[in-house]
């Protein structure tokens, strides 16, 4: 099993305005993407991989001259890997509003000539999916073999299957939910408040002040990180391990290893992530609720679906617990759709979807083999 | 069942220095307390109630001329209530480092003549218990009928039973744990970082700058609040209820009712709670770990215990889950101690210990009746 090797990001510019769910539209935008493997003659082997909160189009492979630049799902995608690039043509697209290349808050608003900042329009999962479909138009892909995503990426995969039912044969949605719970929204809201009330946020126009709301970003990331890990794995990895043999009796110094770990995660994140992007992406998560237009009835929501589904969840994921995946499975079964579901006993919480677990990867490998068998 | 009626806080000054676990000592300190009911002739009917994070000595009754000034456990304590003040003499003491009257960071350090601020020494559960025991000395109470507490208050009750085994007959510890888990510490640490990195914190000496780190306090409280409630009760109370009929497409405005609720809780808290106190109390929680001095062996830890125990936990409490109470129950049973344990099926999460649930209050009522039966 190998790597897809060195990769390069590509860029597409779109002149035709993109109408957004909010009623606004985005004009003159760019989308950055990467592809791995080769598109076959009848263009039937393309798999779109949708990314979650702090990831990007850089899904697999590495960048020339950059150590440790492996894509975020490199363990899954490559020659001989579960999503086998010897058989599939894989596309990763950076979502609008991101800080990793596609048009986002750090770019210039063509209507005003100034950096968007907080004026970047609110984008939704549906908007992302619409933008992704335009990239596929450009690549000449009329029907995807599959759309694959975990967490927020899984929501995009679900939305694809609802609104572009003829453009895909399989939907693979991992560690996801049909909508956020009140508790999920609550955690997002606290993270947003930490950022917005950081004096360096300057109402979202911090770029022109030459500062970054790092305090808020750190706190936001620390909160997020707690929810990505299971209670169990945190206990196992850190427990009550102290940094020193003796208690220091301080409220500000690090006493426990878990504190050190969280602060490190927060610091690292605040160095590279954009505060406005964080707000936009958490809001897209909050808003995702396809059943809303169907009176809250998830079964009716999936009446328009046509593709086959694989769903997977992880037993210790308390952010998007297995029960949330089961809600989707039930709605799919109510519509007599072809659905496979794996509830994987893994200790790592929500993060498990990014990790290399043999049972989990085994499920994905088998499912992609099935899809490959359907190719000519 | 009635109220204890109008109550008044009392104050005791201590000239003898209190040695603290950190090695520091506190001199010339004051403790504020309240009592309800009457101490009987042989002083055998006293019950000490220990308070948790944001509570105080004001456990029951109301203050004259103050609407809605009921004590924080007024539903439990009063004539004819589960902790019946017709039979028991109830004592509530405000812990050192608090912002509700006892000596704390907002007071003047007699050694320097300046407000303590961040220089207030780190206090532990043991320090609080030692200070409480001095109040009881002054009141002439040599043996308590019971020590009662929930959450952090339960930790104090447990510590009492370990270090003052001859001074109490019953320990009632509700919704508590033998120590914080890594996840518990993680949430505390994020809350502390939010406060400490608020520019208005001024390294803990914000009083002299005439400001309060309200942003940090708000975020800290919002985080805390999420962990006090169960996922279920949040879903039931708020779910995905919107504030308006239509989505507003904003990252900063309130869209969901849960956001409104959390912001309100945060705002209210930041108006009355002291930032340094918040740091001190969360640290006391982190440090509590009586098994640490016994090689992590909780059974050996309770070898010195002599009193009888009632423990109670709530099924939906994910902050101090029933499993944590069961660890304590097991350690008590290993020592052949008299222990009652109730695992109460209540939907409200950690907050359940403050609420009036008939099964929960029934358990407490029965247990206090048993204690009353032992009185002369």
């Amino acid at each position: 099993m190998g790597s897809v090797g060195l990769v390069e990001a590509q860029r597409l510019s779109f002149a035709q305005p993109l109408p957004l769910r909010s009623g606004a539209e985005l004009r003159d935008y760019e989308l950055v993407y990467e592809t791995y493997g080769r598109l076959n003659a009848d263009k039937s082997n393309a798999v779109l991989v949708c990314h979650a909160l702090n990831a990007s189009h850089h899904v697999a492979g590495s960048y020339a001259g950059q150590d440790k630049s492996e894509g975020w799902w490199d363990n899954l995608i490559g020659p001989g890997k579960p999503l086998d690039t010897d058989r599939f043509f894989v596309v990763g697209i950076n979502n609008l509003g991101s800080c990793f290349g596609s048009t986002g808050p750090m770019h210039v608003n063509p209507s005003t000539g100034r950096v968007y900042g907080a004026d970047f329009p609110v984008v939704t999962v549906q908007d992302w999916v619409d933008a992704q479909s335009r990239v596929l138009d450009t690549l000449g892909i009329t029907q995807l073999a599959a759309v694959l995503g975990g967490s927020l990426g899984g929501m995009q995969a679900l939305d694809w299957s609802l609104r572009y039912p003829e453009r895909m044969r399989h939907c693979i949605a991992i560690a996801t939910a049909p909508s956020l719970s009140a508790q999920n929204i609550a955690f997002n809201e606290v993270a947003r408040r930490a950022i917005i009330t950081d004096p360096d946020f300057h109402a979202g126009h911090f770029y022109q002040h030459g500062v970054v709301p790092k305090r808020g970003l750190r706190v936001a990331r620390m909160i997020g990180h707690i929810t990505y890990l299971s209670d169990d794995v945190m206990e196992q990895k850190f427990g009550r391990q102290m940094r020193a043999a003796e208690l220091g009796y301080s409220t500000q110094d690090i006493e426990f290893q878990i504190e050190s770990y969280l602060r490190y995660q927060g610091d690292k994140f605040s160095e590279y992530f954009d505060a406005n992007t964080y707000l936009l992406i958490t809001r897209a998560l909050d808003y995702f609720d396809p059943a809303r237009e169907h009176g809250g009835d998830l079964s009716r929501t999936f009446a328009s679906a046509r593709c086959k589904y694989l769903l997977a969840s992880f037993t210790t994921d308390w952010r998007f617990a297995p029960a949330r995946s089961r809600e989707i499975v039930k709605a799919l079964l109510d519509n007599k759709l072809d659905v496979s579901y794996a509830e994987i006993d893994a200790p790592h919480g929500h993060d498990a979807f990014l990790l290399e677990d043999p049972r989990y990867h085994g499920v994905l490998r088998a499912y992609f083999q099935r899809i490959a068998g359907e190719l000519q």
Side-chain angles (χ1 to χ4, degrees), chain A residues 59-89:
Chain A
V59 187
S62 301
Y63 294 141
Q66 286 185 41
D67 262 5
K68 296 188 178 173
S69 63
E70 286 81 16
W72 57 272
W73 223 344
D74 194 68
N75 61 28
L76 185 79
I77 299 164
K81 288 182 177 171
L83 174 41
D84 189 346
T85 50
D86 288 338
R87 310 182 85 169
F88 292 101
F89 177 69

Side-chain angles (χ1 to χ4, degrees), chain A residues 306-356:
Chain A
R306 295 289 172 269
C307 74
K308 300 182 170 101
Y309 287 82
L310 169 63
L311 278 96
S313 67
F314 301 94
T315 48
T316 57
D317 183 354
W318 61 281
R319 186 184 173 91
F320 293 150
R324 304 309 311 277
S325 282
R326 278 186 242 125
E327 290 176 38
I328 303 166
V329 171
K330 187 197 172 298
L332 296 171
L333 292 175
D334 285 344
N335 287 287
K336 303 193 187 334
L337 289 159
D338 181 328
V339 53
S340 303
Y341 174 54
E343 204 163 296
I344 292 151
D345 192 5
H348 300 97
H350 189 61
D351 258 3
F353 89 88
L354 295 167
L355 303 176
E356 201 173 336

Side-chain angles (χ1 to χ4, degrees), chain A residues 20 24-30 102-122 205 207-208:
Chain A
L20 305 173
E25 62 175 29
L26 208 55
R27 64 181 187 87
D28 295 333
Y29 62 93
E30 294 192 330
S102 291
T103 299
M106 298 191 295
H107 294 105
V108 171
N109 179 350
S111 306
T112 64
R114 288 193 303 272
V115 169
Y116 278 109
D119 299 330
F120 194 85
V122 165
H205 297 287
Y207 315 100
Q208 59 220 60

Side-chain angles (χ1 to χ4, degrees), chain A residues 154-349:
Chain A
M155 292 174 172
Q156 293 161 59
L158 292 173
D159 186 66
W160 261 98
S161 77
L162 290 170
R163 297 193 306 112
Y164 294 90
E166 309 300 338
R167 283 200 81 169
M168 60 199 287
R169 297 192 298 278
H170 295 270
C171 171
I172 307 175
I174 301 164
T176 194
S179 64
L180 294 200
S181 68
Q183 191 190 64
N184 293 148
I185 296 171
F187 279 120
N188 280 349
E189 172 67 0
V190 185
R192 280 192 296 265
R193 294 316 291 169
I195 290 171
I196 289 166
T197 62
D198 182 333
D200 285 339
F201 183 64
H202 293 287
H205 297 287
F206 51 90
Y207 315 100
Q208 59 220 60
H209 291 82
V211 292
V212 166
K214 287 194 181 180
R215 303 178 200 93
L217 279 166
R218 284 191 202 105
V219 167
R221 180 59 166 179
M222 290 169 86
I223 294 170
H225 219 84
I226 298 174
T227 68
Y228 303 151
L229 296 181
S230 72
D231 192 12
D232 282 0
V233 85
M234 241 193 210
E235 202 56 30
Q236 205 178 311
K237 271 174 96 166
F238 302 101
R240 296 183 52 84
Q241 280 170 56
M242 311 292 300
R243 202 184 214 185
E246 296 298 317
L247 298 183
Y249 295 102
S250 163
T251 57
Q252 305 199 20
D253 297 341
I254 289 170
E255 289 278 60
F256 298 92
Q257 293 292 8
I258 181 66
E259 297 176 310
S260 170
Y261 173 76
L262 279 182
R263 288 199 202 179
Y264 173 78
Q265 295 293 339
D267 287 348
K268 206 171 63 168
F269 189 71
S270 73
E271 295 295 330
Y272 73 81
F273 209 85
D274 177 67
N276 285 308
T277 293
Y278 200 88
L279 302 182
L280 289 170
I281 296 185
T282 54
R283 217 27 156 178
L285 274 160
D286 291 354
Y287 283 141
F288 182 72
D289 184 11
R292 190 178 141 84
E293 292 166 25
H294 301 273
D297 186 332
L298 201 59
S299 297
R300 276 209 286 139
T301 306
F302 279 96
S304 61
R306 295 289 172 269
C307 74
K308 300 182 170 101
Y309 287 82
L310 169 63
L311 278 96
S313 67
F314 301 94
T315 48
T316 57
D317 183 354
W318 61 281
R319 186 184 173 91
F320 293 150
R324 304 309 311 277
S325 282
R326 278 186 242 125
E327 290 176 38
I328 303 166
V329 171
K330 187 197 172 298
L332 296 171
L333 292 175
D334 285 344
N335 287 287
K336 303 193 187 334
L337 289 159
D338 181 328
V339 53
S340 303
Y341 174 54
E343 204 163 296
I344 292 151
D345 192 5
H348 300 97

Side-chain angles (χ1 to χ4, degrees), chain A residues 18-159:
Chain A
L18 183 76
L20 305 173
R21 281 276 154 152
S22 66
E25 62 175 29
L26 208 55
R27 64 181 187 87
D28 295 333
Y29 62 93
E30 294 192 330
L31 291 170
V32 174
Y33 70 101
E34 289 182 11
T35 68
Y36 325 111
R38 302 179 125 213
L39 191 60
N40 61 7
D42 65 353
K43 301 187 172 181
S44 63
N45 70 333
V47 175
L48 174 66
V49 179
C50 303
H51 71 81
L53 205 148
N54 69 324
S56 72
H57 55 287
H58 182 42
V59 187
S62 301
Y63 294 141
Q66 286 185 41
D67 262 5
K68 296 188 178 173
S69 63
E70 286 81 16
W72 57 272
W73 223 344
D74 194 68
N75 61 28
L76 185 79
I77 299 164
K81 288 182 177 171
L83 174 41
D84 189 346
T85 50
D86 288 338
R87 310 182 85 169
F88 292 101
F89 177 69
V90 178
V91 183
I93 304 171
N94 188 215
N95 285 330
L96 284 168
S98 171
C99 49
F100 296 124
S102 291
T103 299
M106 298 191 295
H107 294 105
V108 171
N109 179 350
S111 306
T112 64
R114 288 193 303 272
V115 169
Y116 278 109
D119 299 330
F120 194 85
V122 165
V123 280
T124 63
V125 166
Q126 293 100 319
D127 298 330
W128 287 335
V129 165
D130 290 342
Q132 290 159 6
S133 78
R134 292 190 176 183
V135 174
L136 299 176
D137 292 343
T138 309
L139 297 177
I141 297 164
T142 50
Q143 193 185 52
L144 290 156
V147 183
L148 164 66
S151 190
L152 176 56
M155 292 174 172
Q156 293 161 59
L158 292 173
D159 186 66

